[in-house]
């Protein structure tokens, strides 16, 4: 009897124990119905991992309602609430990734990438997090065919090269508005809080047909998040072994029932002078900057849009001799380059409450720069106002027509000859209105074909009417393969002193030999994208080739006279031809490899004695390569990232025929390693090593800065014509010049950071 009672007691306790448990089992699949391997299903500290069929089983020691968190690399996380025993199918949505279909605005109309006739490359914050950087400027080194170029060894100012073209040929916009003016081309990509960025879109090739001047070589459009879709809190703090400090803080909150506000702060500080190459000058410019960004979104009837955003940017940067202090600013005893920058921006978009889809967008910027390059002062102010009325019309069932009116006002003033009458000395700020009209028609042909045609007219007060047509054709060869053809023209009005810091640094004399005319270009671009899969392997390819022809181009001439930088419109022409290849391999969302290769030939062709003479451009590489490899460990908490790039040789600016520095750079590159630990839903800790192999350009040359020991040329001797003479103290007849730069001077460094996110 006792044995029966004991067995009954144990059976009852077993049944009671089972009654206190919840068994969750099922299958994890993607949107195509394919199983997802290594998905993590978690309840508090308990978790299960899905197998190759997507199946999982998780026993939870409780009953009633429970919350499961399901996550997998490359997919949006899923939170679900369940009761009792559950056996179901859970579908995860793919994250936005490079090469996949996302909503884009490359044609000023929101479409999915696969439907766009214009080839647009998309990069999300997840892409940039694989190698966190203090600014978007530095982060773009991961993008194939895009290279951040430093233009000065001392102040570390720079620009962005796309397909071998100089920075001023690329337009930078925020939310589609051209707020980054020529004066701010160096700083426009600094101080934008990464936490507030939704994605970055890059169009390679002329976009003047829609965006006007400055979009002659390409377009970088930084799209910020909508306040209602941003996390409630997003904080990212990072420090490095070089004592760099960076904070990115973003917050979302509501104002009443119909308004959402997004607030972001970016802070960067580096104040530790380092001179590892022992030339007496700082290897990395000291910087102290803060950027405050705010965006307001209003809820309106019929889901009409209404946004207003603003940003304030301040930076204090200096580089120079190690013992420089602000007390020596502008003096000729200790050399330094000091730049104070104050900038404000405002951006707005309002969808008009009238039939159809009509939007009015506007932007305004104010930029003030107070700087000294040694004893050379450069004080400048620029104000730009921009307004655009855009209408989306349908005149026929298969046609999407876009019509736009644009007006741009520019006022620029500085202390250089650019805005001063050389005869009377009177100050004459540069002011002009640039009205524009553009029309675009997108015709949806049969059999997955689309034809886009567009024209734009701009009227410049000096150069008159400027006409820029464009045409694009998309052919969907299959559901996974798309071919695109783009062709168009571009134009650019040059503001020399705002774009060429070489004109302000060093001892070279600037010579402008003629009244500069607008640059013009013609471009053809072919693009083929394809995606396919094999088992758990996913592949994608993106292949592009281009040809660009420029006339009236303005390029700095360092060769005719080593003591001068000569600017004039080219008598011949220049051209850029090349191709890029991007490959992506994703295995089971566990391992992902993205790699790219760019081959290009960028040169100027001038007639000498009736014959064309081809000359490669300075600081333009023949080839480059980028890669990014990520591995997620089975527990889904640890991620390892290895990123890097390689650049082929490029021609460098020398001061004389006997300059001992190499005229060509070596093959060089920078590699980075990062490990990320996902501590939970809210916290990520990351750290690693940048410039893993400690590569710096001083390895390839006896010195980088010419006459670093005599930055004011007090001991340089000249002949009757003003040319530098060779002396025992100066055997190579050099003058002070910091423009011999092709790579960052910052060596290997460790970094550590943490991200905190509350949805």
């Amino acid at each position: 009897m006792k044995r029966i009672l004991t067995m009954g007691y144990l059976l009852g306790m077993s049944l009671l124990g089972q009654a206190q448990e919840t068994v969750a089992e099922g299958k994890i699949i993607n949107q195509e119905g394919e199983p997802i391997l290594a998905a993590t299903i978690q309840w508090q500290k308990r978790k299960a991992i899905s197998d190759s069929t997507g199946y999982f089983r998780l026993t939870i020691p409780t009953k009633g309602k429970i919350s499961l968190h399901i996550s997998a690399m490359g997919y949006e996380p899923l939170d679900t609430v369940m009761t009792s025993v559950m056996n179901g199918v859970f579908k995860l949505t793919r994250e936005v990734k490079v090469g996949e279909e996302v909503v884009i605005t490359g044609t000023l109309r929101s479409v999915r990438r696969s439907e766009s006739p214009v080839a647009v490359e998309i990069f999300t914050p997840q892409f940039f997090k694989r190698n966190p950087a203090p600014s978007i400027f530095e982060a773009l080194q991961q993008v194939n065919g895009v290279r951040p170029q430093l233009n000065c060894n001392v102040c570390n100012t720079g620009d962005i090269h796309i397909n071998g073209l100089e920075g001023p040929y690329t337009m930078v916009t925020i939310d589609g508005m051209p707020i980054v003016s020529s004066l701010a081309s160096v700083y426009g990509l600094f101080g934008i809080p990464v936490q507030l960025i939704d994605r970055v879109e890059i169009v390679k090739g002329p976009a003047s047909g829609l965006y006007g001047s400055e979009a002659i070589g390409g377009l970088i459009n930084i799209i910020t998040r909508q306040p209602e879709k941003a996390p409630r809190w997003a904080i990212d703090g990072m420090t490095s072994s070089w004592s760099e400090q960076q904070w990115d803080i973003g917050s979302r909150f509501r104002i009443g029932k119909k308004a959402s506000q997004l607030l972001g702060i970016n802070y960067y500080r580096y104040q530790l002078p380092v001179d590892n190459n022992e030339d007496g000058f700082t290897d990395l410019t000291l910087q102290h900057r803060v950027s405050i960004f705010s965006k307001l979104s209003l809820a309106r009837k019929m889901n009409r849009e209404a946004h207003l955003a603003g940003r304030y940017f301040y930076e204090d940067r200096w580089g120079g001799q190690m013992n420089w202090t602000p007390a020596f600013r502008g003096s000729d005893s200790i050399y330094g380059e000091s730049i104070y920058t104050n900038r404000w921006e405002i951006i707005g978009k309002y969808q008009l409450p009238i039939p159809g889809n009509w939007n009015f967008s506007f932007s305004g910027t104010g930029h003030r720069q107070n700087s000294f390059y040694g004893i050379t002062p450069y004080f400048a102010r620029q104000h730009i106002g921009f307004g655009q009325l855009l209408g989306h019309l349908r005149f026929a069932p298969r046609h999407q027509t876009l019509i736009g009116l644009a007006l741009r006002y520019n006022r620029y003033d500085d202390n250089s000859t650019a805005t001063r009458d050389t005869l009377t000395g009177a100050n004459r700020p540069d002011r002009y209105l640039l009205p524009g009209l553009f029309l675009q028609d997108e015709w949806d042909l049969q059999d997955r074909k689309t034809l886009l045609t567009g024209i734009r007219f701009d009227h410049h007060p000096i150069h008159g009417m400027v006409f820029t047509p464009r045409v694009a054709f998309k052919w969907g060869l299959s559901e996974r393969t798309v071919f695109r053809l783009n062709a168009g023209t571009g134009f650019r009005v040059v503001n020399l002193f705002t774009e060429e810091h070489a004109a302000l640094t060093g001892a070279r004399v600037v010579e402008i030999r003629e009244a500069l005319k607008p640059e013009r270009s013609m471009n053809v671009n072919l693009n083929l994208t394809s995606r396919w899969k094999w088992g758990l392997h996913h592949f994608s390819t993106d292949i592009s080739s281009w040809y660009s022809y420029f006339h009236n181009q303005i390029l700095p001439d360092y060769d005719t006279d080593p003591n001068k930088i000569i600017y004039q419109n080219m008598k011949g022409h220049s051209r850029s031809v090349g191709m890029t290849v991007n490959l992506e391999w994703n295995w089971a969302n566990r391992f992902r490899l993205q790699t790219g290769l760019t081959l290009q030939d960028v040169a100027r062709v001038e007639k000498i004695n009736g014959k064309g003479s081809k000359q490669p451009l300075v600081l333009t590489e023949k080839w480059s390569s980028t890669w990014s490899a990520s591995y997620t460990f089975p527990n889904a908490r640890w991620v390892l990232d290895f990123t890097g790039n390689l650049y082929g040789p490029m021609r460098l600016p020398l001061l004389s025929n006997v300059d001992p520095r190499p005229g060509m750079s070596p093959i060089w590159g920078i590699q980075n390693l990062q490990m990320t630990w996902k501590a939970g839903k809210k916290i990520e800790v990351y750290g690693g090593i940048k410039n893993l192999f400690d590569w710096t350009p001083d390895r390839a040359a006896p010195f980088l800065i010419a006459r670093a020991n005599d930055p004011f040329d007090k001991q340089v001797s000249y002949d009757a014509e003003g040319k530098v003479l060779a002396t025992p103290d100066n055997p190579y007849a050099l003058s002070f010049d910091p423009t011999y730069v092709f790579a960052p001077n910052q060596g290997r460094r460790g970094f550590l950071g943490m991200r905190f996110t509350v949805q």
Side-chain angles (χ1 to χ4, degrees):
M1 186 66 179
K2 290 182 178 180
R3 181 176 298 178
I4 295 175
L5 291 174
T6 301
M7 293 179 62
Y9 175 78
L10 294 175
L11 178 62
M13 293 301 293
S14 175
L15 293 174
L16 181 62
Q18 290 183 3
Q20 298 297 321
E21 290 184 346
T22 297
V23 178
E25 61 180 347
K27 189 175 182 180
I28 311 297
I29 62 173
N30 60 23
Q31 293 168 292
E32 290 78 27
E34 301 164 334
I36 298 177
L37 170 67
T40 301
I41 301 87
Q42 187 169 358
W43 175 83
Q44 296 184 6
K45 293 185 178 181
R46 293 200 174 196
K47 62 184 176 182
I49 305 295
S50 63
D51 61 20
S52 60
T53 66
Y55 174 79
F56 74 93
R57 178 184 175 88
L58 181 64
T59 301
I60 300 171
T62 185
K63 65 178 182 178
K65 292 184 177 182
I66 61 172
S67 297
L68 290 180
H69 179 75
I70 304 174
S71 61
M73 180 180 177
Y75 293 88
E76 298 287 349
L78 174 67
D79 291 293
T80 183
V81 178
M82 57 170 288
T83 58
S84 68
V85 178
M86 187 173 187
N87 188 343
V89 177
F90 303 89
K91 184 181 294 185
L92 299 186
T93 303
R94 291 183 185 275
E95 289 180 339
V96 175
K97 298 187 288 296
V98 177
E100 293 194 349
E101 294 184 349
V102 295
V103 177
I104 63 172
T105 54
T107 59
L108 288 181
R109 186 175 72 88
S110 295
V111 296
R112 299 193 69 81
R113 187 187 181 195
S114 62
E115 301 170 355
S116 172
V118 177
V120 181
E121 297 183 28
I122 310 296
F123 302 93
T124 68
Q126 292 298 326
F127 176 83
F128 296 116
K129 285 179 180 179
R130 297 172 194 171
N131 179 29
S135 67
I136 293 296
F137 173 81
E138 295 178 41
L140 288 174
Q141 67 181 311
Q142 296 176 239
V143 179
N144 185 30
V146 177
R147 182 170 66 87
Q149 169 63 45
L150 293 178
N151 295 327
C152 177
N153 266 309
V154 180
C155 63
N156 287 173
T157 53
D159 55 37
I160 296 294
H161 288 201
I162 294 183
N163 290 346
L165 299 179
E166 297 283 344
Y169 293 90
T170 299
M171 173 175 279
V172 179
T173 63
I174 297 181
D175 291 335
M177 290 289 97
I179 66 165
V180 181
S181 59
S182 56
L183 182 59
S185 61
V186 177
Y187 311 102
L189 293 171
F190 288 88
I192 301 175
V194 177
Q195 302 288 346
L196 305 184
I197 294 176
D198 181 70
R199 63 191 185 275
V200 177
E201 303 177 352
I202 298 179
V203 178
K204 296 176 181 177
S208 295
L210 284 182
Y211 294 91
S213 180
E214 283 126 37
I216 193 170
L219 171 71
I220 298 176
N221 187 15
I222 300 171
I223 298 179
T224 60
R225 293 185 174 188
Q226 297 297 340
E228 58 271 15
K229 297 180 180 179
R232 187 176 300 277
W233 283 99
I235 302 174
D236 187 347
M238 184 175 73
T239 186
S240 78
S241 58
W242 278 49
S243 297
E244 297 170 280
Q245 308 291 331
Q246 177 181 333
W247 287 93
D248 245 351
I249 302 174
S251 176
R252 166 182 59 87
F253 52 91
R254 295 192 61 83
I255 302 177
K257 296 182 179 180
K258 295 185 177 182
S260 298
Q261 182 80 23
L262 188 64
L263 179 64
I265 300 174
N266 174 268
Y267 178 80
Y268 178 77
R269 185 177 187 271
Y270 170 68
Q271 296 293 311
L272 179 66
V274 174
D275 181 23
N276 287 336
N277 59 20
E278 299 181 348
D279 61 359
F281 277 71
T282 53
D283 291 346
L284 178 65
T285 300
L286 283 79
Q287 303 168 53
H288 190 192
R289 66 172 176 262
V290 61
S291 175
I292 302 174
F293 179 90
S294 179
K295 186 174 184 178
L296 178 68
S297 178
L298 299 177
R300 301 174 59 206
K301 295 180 179 179
M302 302 178 67
N303 293 322
R304 290 192 175 101
E305 292 186 75
H307 309 294
L308 181 64
R311 183 171 76 123
Y312 173 75
F313 174 90
Y314 171 78
E315 182 184 65
D316 174 7
R317 67 162 57 198
W318 74 268
Q321 293 179 287
M322 292 289 288
N323 55 344
W324 186 91
T325 67
F328 297 101
R329 196 170 192 259
S331 70
D332 65 350
S333 53
I334 298 178
Y335 187 89
E337 296 184 3
S338 170
I339 305 172
Y340 302 149
T341 301
N342 281 278
R343 178 176 175 83
W344 60 264
E345 304 160 353
I346 187 170
I347 309 169
K349 181 178 181 180
Y350 183 77
Q351 187 174 353
L352 302 181
I354 59 177
N357 187 358
W358 290 86
N359 297 274
F360 177 69
S361 302
F362 61 91
S363 65
T365 66
H367 190 103
R368 180 178 180 180
Q369 182 172 325
N370 180 322
S371 52
F372 274 93
Y373 300 88
I375 60 173
T376 303
Y378 179 62
F379 309 130
R381 292 189 179 186
Q382 186 169 32
H383 293 87
I384 294 179
F386 180 83
Q388 178 174 272
L389 178 64
L390 192 66
H392 301 267
L393 309 174
R394 273 189 176 272
F395 293 114
R398 289 181 173 271
H399 289 262
Q400 289 276 358
T401 303
L402 187 72
I403 185 171
L405 294 171
L407 181 64
R408 179 173 178 174
Y409 169 77
N410 180 81
R411 184 186 186 277
Y412 171 78
D413 189 16
D414 67 17
N415 64 318
S416 74
T417 56
T419 59
R420 186 174 66 247
D421 191 313
T422 56
L423 296 178
T424 65
N427 187 47
R428 294 183 177 179
D430 183 21
R431 300 185 183 93
Y432 65 83
L433 277 173
L434 189 64
L437 167 66
F438 57 91
L439 181 67
Q440 174 181 283
D441 181 70
E442 191 173 329
W443 185 9
D444 184 14
L445 304 171
Q446 296 179 350
D447 300 325
R448 295 193 291 263
K449 297 184 181 71
T450 302
L451 177 65
L452 181 145
T453 56
I455 55 174
R456 182 182 178 109
F457 297 92
D458 290 274
H459 184 269
H460 193 277
I462 298 176
H463 308 296
M465 188 67 69
V466 181
F467 172 60
T468 49
R470 72 186 305 215
V471 62
F473 176 71
K474 179 189 75 72
W475 182 9
L477 301 175
S478 68
E479 292 183 359
R480 297 179 180 271
T481 303
V482 179
F483 169 78
R484 295 178 175 89
L485 166 66
N486 290 268
T489 65
F491 80 100
R492 187 172 76 96
V493 179
V494 177
N495 195 328
L496 185 63
F497 286 90
T498 68
E499 300 171 4
E500 294 285 354
H501 271 65
L504 299 167
T505 60
R508 290 186 187 238
V509 176
V510 175
E511 181 178 336
I512 304 174
R513 290 189 170 179
E514 61 185 3
L516 301 178
K517 301 176 183 178
E519 298 183 341
R520 301 299 302 265
S521 76
M522 294 179 287
N523 174 274
V524 177
N525 188 296
L526 303 176
N527 175 259
L528 180 68
T529 59
S530 182
R531 296 180 292 114
W532 70 96
K533 61 182 179 178
W534 178 56
L536 297 177
H537 301 269
H538 292 256
F539 302 91
S540 67
T541 61
D542 188 318
I543 304 174
S544 294
S545 62
W546 76 89
Y547 177 83
S548 297
Y549 177 93
F550 297 87
H551 63 279
N552 284 344
Q553 195 172 20
I554 302 168
L555 299 171
D557 180 359
Y558 295 91
D559 302 320
T560 301
D561 188 334
N563 301 306
K564 295 181 179 180
I565 306 177
I566 300 172
Y567 296 96
Q568 62 183 339
N569 289 110
M570 283 185 59
K571 304 308 178 186
H573 69 274
S574 67
R575 52 118 178 96
S576 171
V577 59
M579 68 176 297
T580 61
V581 179
N582 293 293
L583 304 175
E584 180 176 353
W585 169 36
N586 186 331
W587 172 69
N589 301 303
R590 178 76 59 80
F591 176 76
R592 179 182 300 158
L593 174 66
Q594 291 174 295
T595 183
L597 174 67
T598 295
L599 303 174
Q600 61 189 19
D601 184 12
V602 185
R604 60 194 302 174
V605 180
E606 294 188 90
K607 289 186 177 181
I608 300 177
N609 298 325
K611 295 182 179 181
S613 175
K614 177 182 172 182
Q615 179 67 51
L617 298 187
V618 174
L619 299 176
T620 304
E621 67 279 9
K622 289 284 187 180
W623 61 268
S624 64
S625 177
T626 60
W627 65 85
S628 172
S630 298
Y631 177 75
T632 300
F633 289 80
N635 62 8
R637 286 184 175 272
W638 292 90
V639 180
L640 179 65
D641 294 294
F642 177 54
T643 59
N645 50 53
L646 281 176
Y647 299 104
M650 61 185 75
R651 195 164 72 91
L652 303 175
L654 299 179
L655 292 181
S656 71
N657 295 329
V658 294
D659 192 327
R661 297 173 295 181
M664 297 291 293
S665 69
I667 297 175
W668 67 278
I670 295 176
Q671 290 75 49
N672 315 285
L673 196 65
Q674 175 184 255
M675 181 69 80
T676 302
W677 174 49
K678 299 181 180 181
K681 299 180 184 179
K682 300 178 181 180
I683 298 177
E684 287 185 0
V685 179
Y686 59 93
I689 301 174
K690 288 181 177 290
N691 198 352
L692 186 62
F693 301 107
D694 198 26
W695 194 93
T696 50
D698 58 291
R699 293 185 182 183
F703 56 86
L704 297 176
I705 301 176
R707 299 286 297 173
N709 62 317
D710 183 23
F712 298 101
D713 290 337
K714 294 181 178 180
Q715 300 173 22
V716 174
S717 300
Y718 302 89
D719 62 13
E721 297 179 355
K723 294 183 179 180
V724 179
L725 293 173
T727 63
D729 179 60
N730 188 13
Y732 302 112
L734 304 178
S735 58
F736 174 73
D737 184 70
T739 60
Y740 185 92
V741 57
F742 59 94
N745 289 321
Q746 193 174 16
R748 180 169 49 223
R749 60 205 181 276
F751 66 95
L752 180 66
M754 185 178 71
R755 301 185 184 99
F756 177 75
T757 305
V758 178
Q759 298 294 334

